[in-house]
Amino acid sequence: MKMHLKGLVFPVLLLSATLTAYAQQDTIRKLNEIVIKENRIQLPFSKQNRNIWIIDAEKIKNLPARSVGELLSYVSGLDIRQRGPGGLQADISIDGGTFDQSLVLLNGIKVSDPQTGHNMMNLPVSIDDIDHIEILRGSASRIYGINALTGAINIVTRNAVNTGAAANVFAGSSFKNNISGDKYYNYGLRASGNLVLKGSSHLLSAGKEAGNGYRYNTAFNNQKVYYQGKYQVGKTNALDVMAGYVHNNFGANSFYSAPGDKESEETIKTLLASVAYTSRLSQYWTIVPRISYRNNVDDYLYIKQTPDKFHNHHQTHVLDVELNNTIETEMGTFGLGLEARTERISSTNLGKRNRNNAGLFTEYKFEPLAGLLANLGVYTNYNSDYGWQAFPGLDVGYNFYGDWRIFANLGTGQRLPTYTDLYYKGPTNIGNDQLKPEKSIYAEGGLKFNNERLQLNVSYFIRRIDSFIDWVKALQTDPWQPQNFGRIHTKGLTLAADYTLKTGSIVLDDIRLGASYTYLKPDLKKTLESANFSRYALESLRNQLSTTLTASLYQALTLTLTTRYCERISYKDYMTMDARLAFKRQHYSIYADAANIFDVQYIEAGAVPMPGSWFTLGLKTAF
């Protein structure tokens, strides 16, 4: 199937302009009231001067998705490269970057793994625990520190508002047979409970998803548990506690080094915990100390039948201590943050390593004129391996005609080499301990429209990444080795719109339409002439279009239809369609999902074919 996307851009722009004319002020969902959860200076979605998009609670409830990775795949500009259904071992990149260049956070806590970006999406929360997801595109070290080279994704969990419990049970299949003649299938069970007391609230959830795969040696078993507690201390102070654990075991046929890894198996276990204390020292000064810890165990068997051979066992420990301050003055708002981070690994392949990082965040928000909002700041960083560096940033926005906003921003970023990049030892892959960090500079300008019914964003960006790291080799017979082998200039266009129409009809209560489009044009200039073959440099999506339609019918049925069109620079284009039909009552709902309805055959990562059509039936209850 071949689509001519140049012909699609004008109709989508025309549709967005038409929707603007019909935008009304009353709606059941007020996206503009969502405050972006940055660690110091926080602004509502409507006042942001950067390319930020939100997957809100209503979308999460209605989209035909079982995992965070599947939710994110409906946002253009995000490249979610899964290795199976349900977001199994998904890599994530933003606007043409690699999976090591984007930062994932859970409630503002970094979950990046110094061993490898492959483990970044091994999260202890299910989509039932999430309130919304914030997607920040562009180099963002000023806000989040190291490794936010191409952007950041912050997953914000829901708060316990009322005491109660909920459950979600589902099962699915491709209705295709494995070599034993049995059907491929999966099943899952999630349960959660809320307890709201006079001075505290608690959320506890647990879940399991398992299946026999979708082709040979892709069976999986994923279990997770998550706790979140909020304790009121006095009238103005609060203690926030979070802890989660996930155990993920799966067959890894062709996941990393096809065809030799047909019998591979991997187990990843991740523990994440944090404690934060919010204290209002005065009506102008808020201080938030926070400590977080992440432990990750990655156990990989190249041939599971012979576990004593080609067995890699990695264990990482990451301890992060922060002190964030927000100070309100007549001149504007000041943000000040201190961070100390230590990363340790003990590995049968990578050895025992450690490195330390210290950072200072300084930010300033002010409004020099009515309607004009500016934010500027710098992140100053010291790393025990790479010394001192500074990463400034600036964004400016101006509101006009009420709901229109023109904006521009400049940002810088850095990505440290992973321990796998530096020290890996293998017959076909060799690390390089002489690597330098990647650095980026990013500039963007655009136009937004935001009211309670319509969110519209059109923007254009340019980005340069220096000292780009990729696994390269001179001859086909050579092993792969990471090198700072090039400079990448990327130009990109983003168009996104979300519109809600409240009809008031019994037959058709409301309609929500969403569309997002991204065009990327990367240009690689090699600085290492001997690198004749590269693995990741130009594998990004060139054209990406996503559409969503959700309709509420007869005040009980909800139908969601989605399409995703992808054209990768190094691969054929393809289009998939998904659907969810849900019957909802006060205390329960029954839903049916159809993923990849037309059974399109395609690949997202490496040599791993995606499963084709997959059908799921589920039941949700709440009381």
Side-chain angles (χ1 to χ4, degrees):
M1 183 188 327
K2 194 72 176 176
M3 293 182 63
H4 301 286
L5 284 180
K6 291 183 179 179
L8 284 174
V9 175
F10 178 74
V12 174
L13 281 168
L14 182 61
L15 172 62
S16 300
T18 303
L19 292 179
T20 304
Y22 287 96
Q24 300 176 26
Q25 296 301 313
D26 57 325
T27 181
I28 60 172
R29 179 65 187 177
K30 297 182 179 180
L31 250 179
N32 291 337
E33 295 179 356
I34 294 178
V35 175
I36 304 303
K37 302 293 185 181
E38 296 178 7
N39 290 329
R40 289 162 298 278
I41 297 178
Q42 300 186 356
L43 287 169
F45 174 69
S46 60
K47 291 188 176 182
Q48 290 291 333
N49 299 327
R50 299 185 308 275
N51 189 350
I52 293 180
W53 204 247
I54 294 174
I55 305 176
D56 60 44
E58 187 179 351
K59 285 185 182 178
I60 293 171
K61 177 178 65 176
N62 292 324
L63 283 171
R66 302 198 317 269
S67 69
V68 176
E70 289 180 335
L71 283 175
L72 294 172
S73 70
Y74 295 112
V75 180
S76 71
L78 298 189
D79 189 4
I80 314 300
R81 309 186 72 176
Q82 302 175 99
R83 293 171 173 85
L88 180 64
Q89 193 63 359
D91 293 337
I92 182 169
S93 60
I94 301 174
D95 285 333
T98 68
F99 57 84
D100 284 318
Q101 293 174 343
S102 53
L103 184 64
V104 174
L105 306 100
L106 182 62
N107 294 321
I109 298 163
K110 302 181 182 81
V111 296
S112 57
D113 193 305
Q115 176 208 335
T116 174
H118 286 309
N119 296 336
M120 194 157 47
M121 295 297 289
N122 201 53
L123 300 169
V125 294
S126 74
I127 62 174
D128 298 334
D129 302 322
I130 299 172
D131 179 77
H132 67 276
I133 302 175
E134 304 163 354
I135 298 127
L136 167 61
R137 296 162 69 167
S139 302
S141 283
R142 170 176 72 88
I143 303 164
Y144 293 118
I146 57 174
N147 293 335
L149 190 82
T150 57
I153 297 168
N154 187 23
I155 300 163
V156 181
T157 55
R158 60 183 177 86
N159 293 322
V161 178
N162 300 305
T163 297
N168 183 359
V169 59
F170 56 88
S173 177
S174 64
F175 298 103
K176 297 175 184 176
N177 296 332
N178 59 23
I179 58 176
S180 302
D182 300 322
K183 301 291 183 186
Y184 286 117
Y185 67 89
N186 75 299
Y187 66 92
L189 173 63
R190 302 172 187 154
S192 64
N194 299 334
L195 178 62
V196 179
L197 305 174
K198 184 177 181 181
S200 65
S201 63
H202 309 267
L203 165 67
L204 178 64
S205 70
K208 175 177 180 176
E209 184 172 355
N212 64 352
Y214 69 102
R215 59 190 178 91
Y216 178 75
N217 190 29
T218 56
F220 67 97
N221 189 331
N222 183 297
Q223 304 169 59
K224 57 186 66 178
V225 61
Y226 177 75
Y227 168 76
Q228 177 177 294
K230 295 182 179 293
Y231 302 84
Q232 197 68 32
V233 182
K235 294 182 178 180
T236 60
N237 300 346
L239 180 70
D240 290 272
V241 179
M242 183 187 78
Y245 176 76
V246 55
H247 183 285
N248 193 9
N249 171 262
F250 50 89
N253 177 9
S254 302
F255 278 20
Y256 308 114
S257 55
D261 59 350
K262 184 178 180 180
E263 300 293 341
S264 295
E265 183 179 84
E266 189 166 11
T267 302
I268 304 174
K269 296 177 285 186
T270 304
L271 169 69
L272 182 67
S274 74
V275 178
Y277 185 76
T278 302
S279 175
R280 289 189 62 86
L281 301 182
S282 72
Q283 61 178 328
Y284 307 107
W285 186 4
T286 301
I287 184 170
V288 184
R290 180 170 65 189
I291 183 171
S292 62
Y293 172 72
R294 182 178 183 274
N295 175 268
N296 192 81
V297 176
D298 184 347
D299 194 70
Y300 179 75
L301 302 174
Y302 186 69
I303 303 175
K304 60 185 178 182
Q305 291 86 352
T306 56
D308 56 325
K309 298 180 180 179
F310 308 112
H311 181 188
N312 286 339
H313 182 89
H314 318 279
Q315 184 168 9
T316 57
H317 304 267
V318 178
L319 179 66
D320 201 313
V321 180
E322 302 167 76
L323 181 63
N324 292 307
N325 297 263
T326 305
I327 303 169
E328 305 279 353
T329 73
E330 293 182 355
M331 297 183 298
T333 303
F334 292 86
L336 177 66
L338 299 172
E339 179 186 37
R341 182 179 178 89
T342 180
E343 300 176 338
R344 297 171 50 205
I345 189 169
S346 177
S347 167
T348 57
N349 185 289
L350 308 174
K352 293 185 177 181
R353 316 283 178 178
N354 67 83
R355 62 189 181 196
N356 301 309
N357 200 82
L360 170 64
F361 297 89
T362 54
E363 298 177 78
Y364 177 44
K365 180 199 77 169
F366 62 104
E367 298 185 57
L369 299 171
L372 180 64
L373 179 67
N375 297 272
L376 57 90
V378 62
Y379 172 67
T380 305
N381 172 69
Y382 174 77
N383 184 269
S384 57
D385 289 349
Y386 302 106
W388 288 96
Q389 297 172 81
F391 301 95
L394 166 70
D395 61 73
V396 180
Y398 178 69
N399 264 93
F400 62 99
Y401 289 117
D403 296 319
W404 289 96
R405 187 175 193 85
I406 187 171
F407 68 95
N409 58 76
L410 294 170
T412 53
Q414 180 195 55
R415 195 275 278 193
L416 299 181
T418 64
Y419 286 130
T420 299
D421 292 331
L422 295 166
Y423 306 115
Y424 192 83
K425 301 186 295 289
T428 59
N429 298 278
I430 302 173
N432 179 5
D433 61 5
Q434 301 302 307
L435 290 173
K436 298 182 295 183
E438 299 174 322
K439 295 182 180 180
S440 67
I441 183 169
Y442 179 93
E444 180 184 37
L447 181 68
K448 295 183 179 182
F449 179 89
N450 283 290
N451 70 10
E452 295 177 337
R453 280 202 177 278
L454 175 66
Q455 292 76 48
L456 171 66
N457 178 49
V458 181
S459 63
Y460 179 81
F461 77 86
I462 55 174
R463 183 185 64 219
R464 189 184 80 187
I465 298 177
D466 292 306
S467 302
F468 177 73
I469 298 172
D470 198 5
W471 292 75
V472 300
K473 55 186 177 181
L475 302 173
Q476 283 283 20
T477 54
D478 292 340
W480 293 101
Q481 185 177 41
Q483 300 282 354
N484 297 107
F485 94 111
R487 171 183 293 171
I488 294 183
H489 288 264
T490 302
K491 299 176 182 178
L493 170 70
T494 297
L495 173 67
D498 191 281
Y499 176 67
T500 301
L501 173 64
K502 186 77 172 178
T503 67
S505 167
I506 297 177
V507 177
L508 182 60
D509 185 33
D510 61 70
I511 301 174
R512 186 169 183 178
L513 300 169
S516 60
Y517 168 71
T518 298
Y519 171 77
L520 299 175
K521 185 181 179 182
D523 179 51
L524 170 67
K525 180 181 179 181
K526 289 198 303 181
T527 55
L528 183 67
E529 294 303 321
S530 61
N532 295 320
F533 303 93
S534 65
R535 181 172 288 180
Y536 300 116
L538 292 177
E539 286 195 340
S540 63
L541 293 167
R542 186 191 304 277
N543 283 295
Q544 190 177 9
L545 174 66
S546 176
T547 65
T548 304
L549 166 65
T550 299
S552 297
L553 309 169
Y554 297 101
Q555 299 181 345
L557 291 173
T558 301
L559 174 65
T560 299
L561 296 174
T562 70
T563 63
R564 292 187 303 124
Y565 171 80
C566 298
E567 181 194 18
R568 197 173 298 280
I569 292 173
S570 57
Y571 188 62
K572 66 181 181 179
D573 65 336
Y574 59 89
M575 178 178 242
T576 62
M577 176 179 285
D578 306 331
R580 167 171 288 187
L581 180 63
F583 176 75
K584 302 179 180 180
R585 307 309 295 167
Q586 183 178 0
H587 295 295
Y588 71 91
S589 66
I590 301 171
Y591 63 93
D593 291 350
N596 193 357
I597 294 173
F598 299 110
D599 200 26
V600 177
Q601 303 300 303
Y602 65 100
I603 290 174
E604 289 186 344
V608 182
M610 292 298 285
S613 299
W614 199 274
F615 303 93
T616 302
L617 183 64
L619 170 66
K620 293 182 181 181
T621 61
F623 52 91

